[in-house]
Amino acid sequence: MKLFPATFLTVLLTFFLLSARSQAASLTPRERTNLVVDWFTGLFDNSKQVATEPEVPFLTMQNCAVSNIGGVADTLSQYVHLEQYINGNSLLRSSGYEFSPTSSAVSLKVYSYSDRDAALGTCNEADPTIDLSNLAFPSCDLTLNYESMGFFGTNSPTGCPSGFPFPGSTVVSSITITANGVDSLDRFFAPGLPPFGTEIEFRAIATTNEPIGAIALIGLGSIALVQSLLSQGNRFR
């Protein structure tokens, strides 16, 4: 079999990545919002991170797109229900996410639930919905900008009020959302304590061999070609 040199693979992958970046950057505000919601939804865990950083807790995350009831919503906004668990069974957090298009970015509002128990299990429903009247105000807000093959947002340095580890605390959040995962860092500032927080690297739990969300940017045929070449990568010298 004739093997392609590594330089050819590098050029080919660079071409596809630049093409994908160009397409995402040229999306309309609504299409940009659709894309980040698509990348943010699904099943994720940080098992790859834990394998190299055993001091980091094992977390799972399930996010699902939902329709809304119980209030008046902006027709351009999209909602996602999130649940995170420690070691697969201990609930860490459950939140409602609102994604809305702006002229050049995506606005993200994160809400706690007034009645968290009522929202748990939403993603297991046949028709997942979010009750807008169950969202606790104020929200914690970020602006997601498209940068280098992903969406990045932070509310540094102001952050948002937090009841953790105790009332009067502040949390400063940063998040990167890409086709293959979500990197998030919540850094907590509490009176009398040094700042603390650990970045969590969530990666999609794929059900196929194809990268999650990649088809949204580059065609299935291109993905198949790249995977075929990469499968021979250990032979390239």
Side-chain angles (χ1 to χ4, degrees):
M1 177 184 294
K2 182 178 180 180
L3 300 181
F4 293 97
T7 51
F8 173 77
L9 276 181
T10 301
V11 172
L12 181 63
L13 290 174
T14 300
F15 169 79
F16 285 137
L17 291 176
L18 289 176
S19 176
R21 181 175 183 178
S22 175
Q23 291 181 48
S26 63
L27 295 176
T28 67
R30 189 160 191 169
E31 290 170 337
R32 195 159 45 236
T33 304
N34 291 342
L35 181 60
V36 71
V37 169
D38 180 60
W39 285 353
F40 189 68
T41 53
L43 292 171
F44 304 82
D45 69 26
N46 69 329
S47 55
K48 292 183 179 179
Q49 179 186 19
V50 172
T52 57
E53 302 176 56
E55 72 281 3
V56 175
F58 173 65
L59 303 179
T60 56
M61 179 170 70
Q62 183 179 26
N63 306 335
C64 59
V66 295
S67 55
N68 61 81
I69 60 173
V72 178
D74 182 341
T75 56
L76 295 180
S77 297
Q78 298 189 45
Y79 293 88
V80 172
H81 172 75
L82 171 148
E83 292 183 18
Q84 289 179 2
Y85 291 84
I86 300 178
N87 296 323
N89 54 22
S90 181
L91 181 67
L92 175 63
R93 62 181 297 205
S94 179
S95 305
Y97 283 62
E98 178 188 287
F99 296 85
S100 304
T102 68
S103 59
S104 60
V106 177
S107 170
L108 172 60
K109 296 180 180 293
V110 182
Y111 296 91
S112 298
Y113 289 111
S114 298
D115 183 353
R116 187 175 67 176
D117 290 343
L120 291 178
T122 291
C123 293
N124 298 325
E125 299 174 356
D127 183 19
T129 59
I130 190 170
D131 186 348
L132 299 183
S133 66
N134 192 26
L135 300 180
F137 289 82
S139 60
C140 189
D141 302 347
L142 302 88
T143 297
L144 300 175
N145 294 292
Y146 185 80
E147 299 178 5
S148 186
M149 297 304 300
F151 293 87
F152 173 77
T154 181
N155 54 20
S156 176
T158 306
C160 297
S162 174
F164 180 83
F166 43 76
S169 302
T170 299
V171 58
V172 174
S173 300
S174 299
I175 186 170
T176 300
I177 302 171
T178 69
N180 293 315
V182 178
D183 292 347
S184 63
L185 171 61
D186 289 332
R187 191 163 175 80
F188 294 91
F189 297 81
L193 295 178
F196 65 94
T198 300
E199 183 175 34
I200 302 298
E201 300 172 0
F202 288 105
R203 294 297 174 263
I205 303 174
T207 55
T208 71
N209 292 327
E210 292 160 1
I212 298 296
I215 298 175
L217 290 181
I218 49 183
L220 180 59
S222 300
I223 287 293
L225 174 60
V226 172
Q227 288 181 322
S228 175
L229 294 174
L230 288 179
S231 68
Q232 305 174 52
N234 60 338
R235 308 180 202 173
F236 296 154
R237 295 291 186 271

